[in-house]
């Protein structure tokens, strides 16, 4: 997740870690993947079909595809499960690092994922939208404090979707309809560095992607997520899902 320190959201990355959550096991969230670059965890990701992975555009833009892989079926981002390499990557053509708009990327795996290690997460069908008050589940290996290191073991938290107009007031003009906010006005629960690209799950469907935020878990500074229903057609055009 981009962590933004000032009003220019290109200032720093908020690479996302779960703040205010708890440790968990990947068997409970079998769609959760660790996106790895040079063999090291860089972002979260999710399995949306046996050969397709969903993540954030800012996680893969500028990367060298042969050095990308995913670790599946592992509670630790550093060992266990299996590693599957990436054959192709796709960054939304309208993605801009200056605004973090259209923050969605797709990875085509070099082989089908072994179902013993990971299961797919459904995407919302046409007509399903994000609503204020929806409770979302966020998982990842990100930092538990804004300036802390990423954790080794998977963590989870639950946070509500916030009113879009309120979010625009506290986040600013950078918020587009490709984004939504989730968290608590008082702060305390959020994604953070290392969680970027990971899934935001509502009622068993992936409705969002961890994208960016001003710090981690701060009052009146909710996390920002890519709104999957709004960019759903892009996924279908690339992956056929």
């Amino acid at each position: 997740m981009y962590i933004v320190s000032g009003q220019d959201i290109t200032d720093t990355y908020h690479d996302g870690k779960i703040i205010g959550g708890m440790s968990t096991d990947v068997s409970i969230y079998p769609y959760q993947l660790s996106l790895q670059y040079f063999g090291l965890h860089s972002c979260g990701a999710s399995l949306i079909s046996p050969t397709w992975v969903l993540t954030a555009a800012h996680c893969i833009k500028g990367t060298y595809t042969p050095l990308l892989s995913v670790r599946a079926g592992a509670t630790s981002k550093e060992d266990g499960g299996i590693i599957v390499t990436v054959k192709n990557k796709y960054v939304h053509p309208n993605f801009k690092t200056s605004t973090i708009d259209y923050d969605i990327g797709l990875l085509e795996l070099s082989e089908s994922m072994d179902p013993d290690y990971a299961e797919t997460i459904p995407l919302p069908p046409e007509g399903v939208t994000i609503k204020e008050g929806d409770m979302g589940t966020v998982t990842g290996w990100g930092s538990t404090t804004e300036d802390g290191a990423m954790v080794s073991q998977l963590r989870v938290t639950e946070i509500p979707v916030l009113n879009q107009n309120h979010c625009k007031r506290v986040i600013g003009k950078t918020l587009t309809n490709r984004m939504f906010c989730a968290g608590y006005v008082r702060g305390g629960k959020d994604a953070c560095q290392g969680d970027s690209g990971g899934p935001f799950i509502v009622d068993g469907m992936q409705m969002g992607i961890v994208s960016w935020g001003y710090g981690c878990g701060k009052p009146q500074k909710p996390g920002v997520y890519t709104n999957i229903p709004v960019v759903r057609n892009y996924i279908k055009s690339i992956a056929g899902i």
Side-chain angles (χ1 to χ4, degrees):
M1 177 186 257
Y2 275 118
I3 292 183
V4 183
S5 58
Q7 291 306 303
D8 179 355
I9 61 177
T10 62
D11 283 348
T12 55
Y13 277 117
H14 175 343
D15 281 325
K17 177 179 178 178
I18 301 298
I19 289 179
M22 64 186 70
S23 296
T24 188
D25 192 278
V26 75
S27 63
I28 305 173
Y29 309 99
Y31 48 81
Q32 175 77 50
L33 306 174
S34 166
L35 175 59
Q36 313 227 321
Y37 194 47
F38 285 94
L40 299 173
H41 175 84
S42 62
C43 280
S46 56
L47 189 70
I48 59 171
S49 89
T51 56
W52 286 96
V53 168
L54 187 61
T55 190
H58 79 257
C59 289
I60 58 174
K61 186 176 177 63
T63 59
Y64 181 49
T65 304
L67 295 177
L68 288 168
S69 61
V70 296
R71 185 186 296 276
T75 298
S76 168
K77 70 182 191 305
E78 292 142 6
D79 58 68
I82 58 169
I83 300 290
V84 180
T85 57
V86 171
K87 180 168 67 173
N88 293 305
K89 71 171 185 180
Y90 300 86
V91 173
H92 197 290
N94 294 331
F95 173 70
K96 291 181 174 62
T97 54
S98 60
T99 61
I100 325 180
D101 200 5
Y102 293 95
D103 193 14
I104 179 172
L106 287 158
L107 301 170
E108 185 179 12
L109 299 177
S110 58
E111 59 185 286
S112 292
M113 180 65 69
D114 187 331
D116 289 339
Y117 288 92
E119 297 176 11
T120 59
I121 183 72
L123 298 175
E126 186 176 353
V128 174
T129 60
I130 284 284
K131 302 183 296 297
E132 177 185 353
D134 283 349
M135 288 299 296
T137 299
V138 185
T139 44
W141 290 272
S143 308
T144 52
T145 61
E146 187 171 319
D147 299 319
M150 288 185 282
V151 296
S152 294
Q153 302 299 303
L154 187 66
R155 293 178 66 83
V156 61
T157 195
E158 292 189 350
I159 48 178
V161 175
L162 298 180
N163 177 274
Q164 192 80 342
N165 289 329
H166 171 78
C167 190
K168 285 181 179 179
R169 288 196 296 271
V170 298
I171 293 294
K173 64 182 179 181
T174 53
L175 197 78
T176 73
N177 71 346
R178 273 79 59 186
M179 309 172 189
F180 68 87
C181 291
Y184 290 96
V185 173
R186 66 181 182 273
K189 291 189 175 186
D190 198 1
C192 196
Q193 303 93 279
D195 292 323
S196 284
F200 184 94
I201 307 298
V202 178
D203 294 332
M205 293 182 293
Q206 184 170 351
M207 301 295 284
I209 304 168
V210 179
S211 184
W212 63 277
Y214 290 106
C216 303
K218 292 182 175 181
Q220 294 290 345
K221 298 297 181 186
V224 181
Y225 298 78
T226 304
N227 192 326
I228 287 180
V230 175
V231 294
R232 185 70 177 82
N233 285 342
Y234 173 71
I235 301 173
K236 188 169 185 179
S237 70
I238 299 296
I241 301 167

